[in-house]
Amino acid sequence: MGTPGERKALLFLGAVIVMGGSVRVARAVGGKPDVDPAARAAIEKQIAAVDSARKHGSKKGKGRRAKRPEVIVPAVIDMDVASADEIETLRGIGPTLARRIVADRDSLGPFGSLDQLKRVKGVGPKVAARIDSSVTFSLLPRPSSTESSGSSDPPPGRRRPRRGERKN
């Protein structure tokens, strides 16, 4: 039938199984409840709060973003002085692009025109056309380095000769 060591091991496993089963039977028949009464009361309170919120249609905590305070927005937004929250109210501009616009304006100066607004990554011809009637520019743009030191571009109508090409 097996060695004496194997018999002892089987006897031990059988005893553990019988004891585990008897503990489960004793709890099921009428022993102590599995959960502490204070813990059970706390769980019941949470369930009641959830049921109440569902009943009243509360949406507290839903969504990934916290609700922002209402921003009173004028009909036309001045892009040279507007805050990121005001810029975000424009059609097609989200929070990331609004922050990018403000950061560009703070570092490089006011835009002055819709063409200068296009220097911001994410503001292309489509976005500019979409917001054209909703924005204005009150400040003068900062002159670029080529404008302040005299332009090195040839006059309109003439092109700069290419390398290796002779001037006329």
Side-chain angles (χ1 to χ4, degrees):
M1 168 142 202
T3 64
E6 289 174 344
R7 281 188 225 143
K8 285 182 184 177
L10 286 175
L11 182 63
F12 176 74
L13 285 175
V16 168
I17 291 172
V18 168
M19 287 177 22
S22 62
V23 168
R24 285 185 173 229
V25 168
R27 282 188 179 170
V29 170
K32 290 175 82 176
D34 290 343
V35 181
D36 181 34
R40 174 146 329 264
I43 291 172
E44 294 296 330
K45 185 177 177 182
Q46 285 180 336
I47 291 172
V50 169
D51 290 343
S52 174
R54 286 182 181 160
K55 180 179 175 184
H56 290 70
S58 172
K59 298 192 190 250
K60 183 179 178 182
K62 289 210 175 187
R64 293 172 26 162
R65 275 198 305 181
K67 192 172 184 179
R68 292 183 181 214
E70 290 294 322
V71 176
I72 299 173
V73 182
V76 177
I77 295 176
D78 186 354
M79 296 298 280
D80 289 335
V81 294
S83 69
D85 288 336
E86 291 173 336
I87 294 172
E88 188 179 339
T89 61
L90 292 169
R91 190 169 150 242
I93 296 183
T96 304
L97 183 55
R99 287 191 302 266
R100 197 178 304 143
I101 290 170
V102 170
D104 183 277
R105 182 185 68 207
D106 291 345
S107 64
L108 299 177
F111 300 109
S113 69
L114 197 58
D115 289 332
Q116 288 294 317
L117 180 63
K118 291 179 189 176
R119 72 183 183 212
V120 178
K121 182 181 176 185
V123 179
K126 288 182 180 180
V127 173
R130 191 178 303 139
I131 66 172
D132 185 25
S133 63
S134 304
V135 298
T136 186
F137 301 90
S138 65
L139 302 175
L140 294 175
R142 183 188 208 167
S144 65
S145 61
T146 58
E147 291 174 6
S148 62
S149 64
S151 177
S152 63
D153 292 335
R158 297 187 67 196
R159 67 176 181 86
R160 183 179 292 162
R162 294 189 183 123
R163 181 177 285 172
E165 195 175 72
R166 292 173 42 164
K167 293 183 183 178
N168 290 341

